[in-house]
Amino acid sequence: MNLNELNRVALAMVAPGKGILAADESTGTIKKRFDAINVASTEESRRDYREMLFRSSEAMSQCISGVILYDETIWQNAKDGTPLVKIIERSGAIPGIKVDEGTQPLPNCPGELITVGLDKLAERLQKYYERGARFAKWRAVINIDQDKIPTMTAIHANAHALARYAALCQAAQIVPIVEPEVLMDGDHDIDRCYEMSQRVLNKTFQELRIQRVALEGMVLKPNMVVPGKKGPKQVSAEEVAEKTVRLLKNCVPAAVPGIAFLSGGQSDEEATAHLDAMNRIGGLPWRLTFSYGRALQAAPQKAWSGKAENVAAGQRAFIHRARMNSLATKGEWKADLEKKAA
Ligand code: 13P
């Protein structure tokens, strides 16, 4: 393992003004997104859509540090035959790859999930590296309710899998994005989200230490501290920022180069406002940026709607969201910039 090189890539992933485009929806998930815009999900439509994003050169070169790809996409070529990976590299962004194989029910823990995909991961990582991937992602999903969930069983099993994945990545000279996502579904309040996220992060870093993962060569992708979507009280961006930063300061060692949040079902503008409010706090040991899927793609998906004549409109929508989030990484976003563009 060359830790200097892993650290260099990790720092590039969280470079000021830049963040990560999570375009790694599984075939099932992208079908759901395409259903919502009445587009048939085929290998070709998925390729055309993602090619549209990756060829948005202004967004890609100025605001996007890396792209998380799904297995199908990393092997795909653009319409003109250029590998999509090359288009990403030429824009100055780093190709990455989702390597988990989704979730399965966790035995003895009704309502909870375990992420799978460790078998043969070492061989898969080697092939992805050869294709150009320099970072990877593994997402653990932690459900939360008012009472019994998450169990320590689910937290432990998922943290252990994340740490095993991260160690395998670093051995293959690939930077692991460690993503323990506490879901925002449900009707819990923000303080329960804080408590459960704290348990999850503490266990995750304990397992990372046990597996001897080098913290300088990874990126953390956590949820923000927010109330459940059906929760009793929605809160201000400042409260989300203050509680999320407090949680991270308590749980994430300063050796970690950067933290790239998931959007997790927040609206586009909320995800931007929350990131911005955190970066306004300042004085943090790690860089805070985005690794958004839905909050970067919902607008371009809608503008594109599967039609070739809408590609320019789709790219404009993507560039706008990328630019707003880029400003948020520096604490320079303002709500009226959204209105001006609309
Ligand atoms: P969202 O930003 O849509 O939550 O997706 C990010 C991601 O990669 C989830 O694993």
Side-chain angles (χ1 to χ4, degrees):
M1 188 215 316
N2 177 343
L3 184 53
N4 280 342
E5 180 57 17
L6 287 173
N7 181 244
R8 191 192 65 75
V9 172
L11 285 169
M13 290 162 67
V14 297
K18 291 192 174 184
I20 297 164
L21 166 63
D24 59 323
E25 300 84 359
S26 64
T27 309
T29 301
I30 196 80
K31 181 177 182 312
K32 269 193 252 159
R33 309 275 184 261
F34 279 14
D35 284 349
I37 51 169
N38 280 317
V39 175
S41 180
T42 64
E43 217 178 303
E44 197 180 348
S45 66
R46 295 191 289 270
R47 191 275 312 273
D48 289 348
Y49 166 66
R50 287 165 170 152
E51 181 175 350
M52 171 184 86
L53 297 179
F54 307 158
R55 284 198 192 273
S56 302
S57 46
E58 190 187 328
M60 292 291 295
S61 61
Q62 294 174 18
C63 311
I64 301 296
S65 57
V67 181
I68 317 175
L69 301 168
Y70 185 58
D71 179 74
E72 175 183 86
T73 320
I74 200 168
W75 305 110
Q76 268 177 332
N77 295 333
K79 232 188 185 97
D80 69 1
T82 315
L84 292 176
V85 171
K86 290 282 165 239
I87 294 174
I88 293 167
E89 285 170 352
R90 281 179 204 153
S91 74
I94 308 167
I97 180 77
K98 182 230 290 289
V99 300
D100 68 66
E101 294 178 327
T103 55
Q104 287 178 2
L106 182 64
N108 305 321
C109 297
E112 300 193 283
L113 301 167
I114 178 74
T115 302
V116 298
L118 287 171
D119 289 353
K120 310 238 167 61
L121 180 55
E123 291 104 280
R124 288 163 57 217
L125 286 168
Q126 203 178 332
K127 294 205 181 79
Y128 290 139
Y129 185 92
E130 284 160 17
R131 184 71 177 172
R134 291 296 175 268
F135 70 92
K137 170 187 129 173
W138 177 289
R139 172 174 175 254
V141 188
I142 304 293
N143 236 321
I144 180 166
D145 71 3
Q146 296 273 21
D147 182 22
K148 292 200 173 64
I149 291 180
T151 60
M152 273 320 282
T153 313
I155 293 174
H156 188 171
N158 276 291
H160 177 77
L162 274 169
R164 289 269 291 118
Y165 140 82
L168 285 164
C169 283
Q170 291 190 335
Q173 205 52 45
I174 286 182
V175 172
I177 294 183
V178 173
E179 180 179 3
E181 176 175 6
V182 175
L183 293 179
M184 63 183 289
D185 302 339
D187 57 2
H188 54 276
D189 65 15
I190 188 168
D191 295 323
R192 183 155 170 84
C193 176
Y194 185 107
E195 291 295 318
M196 295 308 121
S197 301
Q198 183 167 29
R199 283 190 197 176
V200 168
L201 286 176
N202 284 339
K203 181 54 85 178
T204 300
F205 279 97
Q206 182 186 25
E207 292 291 324
L208 288 168
R209 275 195 292 274
I210 292 171
Q211 297 302 324
R212 306 180 183 191
V213 172
L215 300 183
E216 298 90 337
M218 63 164 273
V219 169
L220 180 70
K221 177 164 173 169
N223 54 285
M224 297 180 195
V225 177
V226 289
K229 265 192 241 167
K230 298 183 214 115
K233 186 162 83 90
Q234 293 306 310
V235 300
S236 67
E238 287 67 33
E239 184 173 347
V240 170
E242 185 268 316
K243 289 187 168 160
T244 305
V245 165
R246 183 147 58 91
L247 171 74
L248 296 172
K249 278 186 171 170
N250 274 285
C251 302
V252 183
V256 173
I259 296 174
F261 293 99
L262 57 96
S263 62
Q266 302 176 44
S267 74
D268 298 357
E269 211 171 309
E270 273 169 357
T272 306
H274 291 160
L275 179 62
D276 182 69
M278 283 187 254
N279 277 310
R280 280 175 195 269
I281 293 173
L284 305 173
W286 355 256
R287 292 212 42 82
L288 295 186
T289 188
F290 57 91
S291 174
Y292 293 161
R294 282 162 284 182
L296 275 173
Q297 294 188 63
Q301 267 161 17
K302 207 161 157 225
W304 170 66
S305 287
K307 300 198 173 71
E309 64 267 28
N310 291 341
V311 163
Q315 290 180 329
R316 273 197 304 278
F318 176 48
I319 290 163
H320 175 65
R321 284 268 45 89
R323 208 184 281 132
M324 294 297 103
N325 286 305
S326 165
L327 288 170
T329 68
K330 299 183 277 187
E332 292 172 3
W333 173 82
K334 290 191 190 71
D336 59 354
L337 295 171
E338 298 281 351
K339 292 187 192 87
K340 267 183 222 153

